[in-house]
Amino acid sequence: MAAASLDLQGLLARLDPTADVAHRHIWLIDVFDWLRGDRASPQASVGRVALLLDAIEARPELRERLRAWWRAFTQTVDLTTLLADYGFAPRTAFLSEFSERLRRKILPGTPETTDASDLFRMVLPGVFDAGWIALLDEPQLARIGHLLADAALDDDGAPRWRHTVMDAVTYCSSQVVAAGFSPELRLRTSVEHHEARPFHALMADLDELREQMFEQPAGEEGDAALQAAFVAFRDRLDACRASASSVYTHLEDNGISVGLVFRLRQLRERVLRIRELLDCLMPAAPAPNVARLVGRLVLAGGERNSIRALIASNSSMLAARVTERSAETGEHYITRDRASYLQMVRKAAGGGALTSLTVLLKFSIYAIGLSAFWSGFWSGLMYAASFVAIQLLHLTLATKQPAMTAPAMAARLGDIKTDAAVADFVDEVANLVRSQVAAVLGNVGVVVPAMLGLALLVQLALGRPLLDAAHAAATLQSLSLVGPTALYAALTGVLLFAASIVAGWTENAFVLHRLDSAMRYNPRIGAFLGAARARRWATFMRTHISGFASNISLGLMLGLLPAFAGFFGLGLDVRHVTLSAGQIAAAAASTGMPVLQQPALWWAVAAIPVIGALNVSVSFYFAFRLALRAHSVSLDDRARIRSAIWARWRSRPISFFLPA
């Protein structure tokens, strides 16, 4: 502490209330840097606060210099912007707020500013500051208040800070009213809250509170009137918050808008800020509440600057809605008895047969000799058309299931506290894995013979093999288990998950913007299609929009990823289990019977179960993790689930592959 005391003497010697704005603020930044020290512990910073107070109180001339400095500071810096707006986005749009946070992270700030928010960010930049401020006791806070109180009085002798805080309350309240009157919120508020009209009366209640606080004479009667005005304003504020919260019910039924959720969160946080400011105004000894407010501002500033926090807070509801919509679809992919299991195998067999045509078309596109981009582009469109055809024919492509079934599984975790509930969930896991196995077997078991048959027909029609010897050998080599095949298969699993996110987002946007209703009732669409056909198209698109988005996005990603990766020199590729099995069959058929003696064939065949397992498991993993987060499943419950699944695997492994 001796060294700290020496540093403190030099710091206090630099205190100059007549310095320019930049140097006054640099001194303030240096003071708080000294208080933080080496950040060893918050308690050490509290000890340094005591040293600072002792040094100032021991020297009357230093105390007067500090008060003069504080008086100059409050006259040049508008503290209401800090109290009312710090931690909030000045923009209501999500993307503009994202770019603003990115700009603030890249560009440095300057202490030559009269914006209290910018200065506060440099003076108290981190969570550590909130920790030591929270440890300041009431005597220390009272000493700080006594040092600064006389320097911040209005001409009438009233504390200037009370007017500053009330102005901040006014600014925050006006933002709350503006948000409540915005059409995005107003049109989505529930009827009972809309009829109560809480936002209409909020500013009138605030004016009454201000009048009672500053214009009415002190005394028992005045205190009672002030308390009544405070209660009325607080209740009106709570009514505004409840009215805004009713919008969430509308969003759950009609789709999530990230921008609207962003506005709702901002409104809620402003209401909480108003409550914190009022807590500083109303008590007779406000110092502890002021310290809590400063600590809260420090934390709010950290969240305000965090890009990760912005994305996480504003995408959580969208993630929940995406997983809920995927769960509705995913239920259709889970088989629970022998009949549905066999039906899944039949649908997967049909999907495998159609995929053989997809493989044939892929080789045809490559035979044209287009550039990498156009070859990938047309391959992507062809994949998309094939996947959409599988969807419309009510067939199954195995790898499309996991990203849809994972949310359906997570949706069953709402009540997982009892052992019976865990056992039921493990049964569903077994049903799911069994369904995936049936789909993969159905796809691969049919695509191979179908591709062999197509290759034979091509050879009979053209008088030459589908692939020449070099291309057949290269195909087998590229799909070999000895190589990057496993990595490419895992990457394809990520693309499958991404396609499910695109599907959920597209369906959410379709519902949010009421496009099915527009197709059904829009006069121009009705005049073009006819009323009956417009209704059919609206129902059709509402039913299939998610599948269309998933299939088209997946097809384009499978086709274009290798081309884009090649442009950057990454050399990435995709490995889809059904398509890969079809390519191996085409290469084997083109080579003929001698291929059975080539190790390359068997290394490629050995890769098929690995590709299938990674396609399914990776896409399911990411989708399930997202669903768990959306449903707020605790870590303890996750551990119980894992233990129960391993116990089932040890006792009844066959249940994961065949129905009872």
Side-chain angles (χ1 to χ4, degrees), residues 126 176 178 188 199 207 213 230 250 301 316 348 359 371 412 428 442 469 575 590 660:
V176 170
R188 292 173 172 86
F199 293 100
D207 290 340
M213 182 170 294
F230 166 71
H250 181 279
S316 58
V359 175
S371 65
R412 298 179 176 274
E428 282 296 279
R575 293 291 182 267
S590 300

Side-chain angles (χ1 to χ4, degrees), residues 592-606:
M593 295 301 294
V595 76
L596 298 177
Q597 300 176 1
Q598 296 181 11
L601 171 66
W602 302 111
W603 278 114
V605 171

Side-chain angles (χ1 to χ4, degrees), residues 187 225 271 319 334 449 534 550:
L187 295 175
V271 170
I334 301 177
S550 175

Side-chain angles (χ1 to χ4, degrees), residues 262-299:
F262 181 67
R263 294 184 183 90
L264 287 171
R265 291 183 183 276
Q266 291 280 294
L267 189 149
R268 175 182 176 276
E269 292 299 322
R270 283 196 182 274
V271 170
L272 295 177
R273 176 68 59 81
I274 293 172
R275 297 293 296 268
E276 292 170 340
L277 293 171
L278 291 176
D279 288 340
C280 297
L281 278 174
M282 299 305 296
N289 292 334
V290 172
R292 275 194 294 273
L293 174 61
V294 173
R296 180 69 185 89
L297 290 174
V298 173
L299 298 177

Side-chain angles (χ1 to χ4, degrees), residues 552-621:
I552 293 172
S553 62
L554 177 61
L556 292 175
M557 285 189 288
L558 291 178
L560 289 172
L561 176 66
F564 279 104
F567 177 80
F568 293 102
L570 298 178
L572 296 177
D573 208 338
V574 295
R575 293 291 182 267
H576 186 281
V577 60
T578 312
L579 294 171
S580 297
Q583 293 174 61
I584 293 172
S590 300
T591 306
M593 295 301 294
V595 76
L596 298 177
Q597 300 176 1
Q598 296 181 11
L601 171 66
W602 302 111
W603 278 114
V605 171
I608 292 302
V610 175
I611 295 173
L614 287 173
N615 284 170
V616 170
S617 60
V618 170
S619 61
F620 181 84
Y621 170 78

Side-chain angles (χ1 to χ4, degrees), residues 501-512:
I501 295 299
V502 172
W505 180 86
T506 303
E507 185 178 10
N508 177 76
F510 189 87
V511 174
L512 177 67

Side-chain angles (χ1 to χ4, degrees), residues 422-442:
V422 173
D424 290 340
F425 181 77
V426 174
D427 288 337
E428 282 296 279
V429 172
N431 293 335
L432 170 64
V433 174
R434 193 165 59 241
S435 304
Q436 305 296 329
V437 171
V440 172
L441 291 178

